[in-house]
Amino acid sequence: MSKLLAFSAVLLLWLSCASLAQTASNYVDNPRNSRPVERPVSAEAKAEAKRLYKEGVKYGLAGLYPQAVEILQRSIKLDPENPDAHFALGHAYYDLKQYRNAIESLKTAVELDPKDVEARDRLGLARAMLWEQDNAKLTAQRQKVAPRPRAVAEQVSIGVKMPPVPEKPVEKTPEKEPDTAVETVPEQPVEISVEDNAAANELALTKIYRVGPNDVLDIRINDNASQSTLFTITASGLLEHPMLGEPLQAAGLTTDEIGSRIETELKRRALNDNPKVSVGVRDYASHTILVSGLVKDSGTKILRREAIPLYVVVADAQPLPEAARVTVLRNESNKTFEIELTQSSEMNLLVRPGDVITLHPNVAQFVYISGEVTQPGEKTYRRGLTLTQAIMSAGGVTRKAKEAQLGRDDGKGFLVVTKFKLKDIETGKVQDPGVKPGDRITIKE
């Protein structure tokens, strides 16, 4: 009996080891363990998978995304190594706004075909849309928990501070004059600063999209599926539609504005008494930015909004460990923004179409101090350094020190010198000035 039990134990141990070995063999040459190595696919299976892939693409182009997902899943099950099928499945998930599923399928497509630029671009868009979707859900949850503001406050734009408004007139009844009329406290005017207006306008850019050249629109009139629905905006920004008398200047308009203008034109031409036009963007192409430098995924990216936060762009490009700062060259104003990756507040800077984003390493920068200080010489610059802090890094001033001369390059090779009384800075009469890399500081008697 004991021999039988021992034999059974050995047999179970051997079976367990064999099972583990088989599982491990599925992940050979796959260090990330993201997808096991599949067995060779037969020619018949590949042919059927290809047929299903083409059928799924047709369903997707027809706008039947759930059916497309089902068919493409069957195709991938037959041939898991087909990158086109994974991309088509990710595109269908994307159109269904199932961004998490879209990301997984598109990641597989990029792994199978790293040179597929369209798959990379679509993956970046899916990540950006997932961020927007999650952020919207989080905002909605916070609004449910937070107390509902008064009706008057709801009319105020985001970022505008509104003074308290009395809910009813305040009645003042003096003791000696009982017949005195009711005194009403006048409402205080809402003061909207230029900064508040600019902030509200900036935020609005993250929620709208204005159509541009090469964008592909999906236009449906009264849900008529028998007509072609996809139309590409021309290089000059025109929309050519058979139901319009002449091309419509669509560049710079939102999809709602385009739909409204088509409805107006159809009514004017008496082609339809009550037309219902829905317009969506099928493929985004006009809003491009360029990302370069210390990132894994560099190149041209496509925005789905008029602007998105910088940290979303950087996260999508996957910065390398040595990246420490980023520069944004604004196309419309030729202005350059320099931001450290650790400055979370500044990483909210909105990126706009045409911007060039470059990630750089952390480069040592210096300021130079001479004169009446204990330890003159070259001092390391750090962000936010002030004149007083720079002097302290030089060991402080001597007893003779009275004045600081701050020399700075004006960008044209000339040195501009500004003088400050040390006593005025110490007493708070003059604000402690900021120092920039390359500044020359001379402490005088």
Side-chain angles (χ1 to χ4, degrees):
M1 184 65 178
S2 59
K3 291 182 178 180
L4 181 60
L5 291 174
F7 175 76
S8 301
V10 172
L11 181 60
L12 288 172
L13 180 61
W14 180 82
L15 290 174
S16 299
C17 292
S19 177
L20 289 173
Q22 179 62 34
T23 302
S25 68
N26 291 334
Y27 293 88
V28 175
D29 299 329
N30 191 12
R32 287 186 290 179
N33 290 346
S34 60
R35 193 179 67 260
V37 176
E38 301 289 341
R39 295 179 179 179
V41 182
S42 65
E44 294 79 6
K46 280 194 173 184
E48 177 63 13
K50 188 175 182 180
R51 186 190 70 79
L52 291 172
Y53 159 69
K54 292 181 177 180
E55 186 178 352
V57 170
K58 289 180 180 179
Y59 273 92
L61 293 175
L64 303 174
Y65 307 124
Q67 294 87 335
V69 167
E70 181 183 355
I71 295 172
L72 291 168
Q73 285 176 339
R74 288 162 54 192
S75 173
I76 290 172
K77 189 174 181 180
L78 290 172
D79 184 9
E81 300 299 310
N82 183 359
D84 293 335
H86 285 283
F87 172 76
L89 179 59
H91 205 308
Y93 277 132
Y94 183 92
D95 291 327
L96 287 170
K97 299 183 179 180
Q98 298 179 14
Y99 301 119
R100 294 187 192 279
N101 292 336
I103 289 172
E104 293 304 318
S105 295
L106 292 169
K107 282 170 61 178
T108 305
V110 172
E111 289 175 8
L112 292 172
D113 185 6
K115 296 182 180 180
D116 191 341
V117 178
E118 187 177 1
R120 286 183 176 274
D121 290 341
R122 183 65 58 175
L123 176 59
L125 292 174
R127 285 170 172 162
M129 292 305 297
L130 177 62
W131 173 84
E132 290 186 8
Q133 191 179 69
D134 290 345
N135 189 50
K137 290 180 180 178
L138 182 60
T139 302
Q141 290 175 356
R142 288 175 178 173
Q143 289 177 348
K144 289 181 180 179
V145 176
R148 184 175 179 81
R150 284 181 289 199
V152 179
E154 291 176 354
Q155 301 173 3
V156 184
S157 301
I158 296 175
V160 178
K161 296 181 179 179
M162 184 173 179
V165 179
E167 297 181 357
K168 61 181 180 179
V170 178
E171 297 184 0
K172 183 178 180 181
T173 309
E175 295 181 358
K176 296 182 179 180
E177 301 179 5
D179 297 331
T180 304
V182 176
E183 179 181 345
T184 304
V185 178
E187 294 185 357
Q188 302 178 14
V190 179
E191 297 182 0
I192 303 177
S193 65
V194 175
E195 292 79 6
D196 289 334
N197 245 336
N201 292 335
E202 287 274 306
L203 186 61
L205 294 177
T206 64
K207 299 180 180 181
I208 63 172
Y209 183 83
R210 298 189 180 97
V211 169
N214 300 320
D215 284 341
V216 179
L217 303 185
D218 186 352
I219 302 175
R220 299 176 185 269
I221 301 176
N222 295 332
D223 293 328
N224 189 352
S226 62
Q227 296 180 346
S228 176
T229 62
L230 301 181
F231 298 89
T232 303
I233 303 299
T234 66
S236 57
L238 297 176
L239 169 62
E240 298 176 348
H241 193 282
M243 299 294 287
L244 298 175
E246 59 184 15
L248 171 65
Q249 184 63 43
L253 301 178
T254 65
T255 54
D256 290 340
E257 291 171 340
I258 294 174
S260 177
R261 296 198 180 188
I262 294 177
E263 289 179 355
T264 302
E265 179 66 11
L266 294 177
K267 291 178 182 178
R268 185 186 69 82
R269 300 178 62 199
L271 297 177
N272 197 315
D273 295 333
N274 187 24
K276 293 182 180 179
V277 179
S278 64
V279 181
V281 182
R282 179 62 179 271
D283 289 314
Y284 296 81
S286 61
H287 291 25
T288 59
I289 60 174
L290 180 63
V291 182
S292 62
L294 298 176
V295 293
K296 293 181 181 178
D297 188 10
S298 61
T300 301
K301 310 292 180 183
I302 301 177
L303 305 184
R304 292 173 55 95
R305 295 290 185 271
E306 290 302 304
I308 63 174
L310 175 61
Y311 67 85
V312 175
V313 176
V314 172
D316 175 66
Q318 304 174 57
L320 298 177
E322 57 268 29
R325 58 191 181 89
V326 57
T327 59
V328 179
L329 176 60
R330 179 127 299 161
N331 178 55
E332 57 190 25
S333 61
N334 204 29
K335 184 178 180 181
T336 301
F337 301 89
E338 294 188 4
I339 300 170
E340 293 184 9
L341 296 182
T342 55
Q343 299 294 321
S344 57
S345 60
E346 296 186 9
M347 289 294 288
N348 285 320
L349 174 74
L350 293 183
V351 175
R352 301 182 182 182
D355 287 354
V356 178
I357 296 91
T358 309
L359 275 77
H360 307 274
N362 190 13
V363 180
Q365 297 173 308
F366 304 94
V367 295
Y368 307 90
I369 305 179
S370 63
E372 298 295 330
V373 291
T374 306
Q375 300 172 2
E378 182 183 76
K379 306 299 175 184
T380 302
Y381 170 82
R382 62 167 181 78
R383 185 181 180 86
L385 186 70
T386 65
L387 176 60
T388 301
Q389 292 170 342
I391 293 173
M392 292 174 64
S393 69
V397 298
T398 65
R399 293 182 179 180
K400 298 179 181 180
K402 294 182 179 179
E403 183 181 80
Q405 295 183 358
L406 180 62
R408 180 170 297 165
D409 192 332
D410 66 352
K412 300 179 181 180
F414 295 96
L415 196 66
V416 178
V417 178
T418 307
K419 298 180 180 180
F420 300 92
K421 295 292 183 181
L422 296 178
K423 188 176 181 180
D424 291 344
I425 296 176
E426 291 175 1
T427 58
K429 186 177 180 180
V430 175
Q431 185 179 6
D432 191 8
V435 177
K436 292 186 177 181
D439 283 354
R440 293 99 160 157
I441 301 170
T442 306
I443 306 301
K444 297 284 188 177
E445 297 183 11

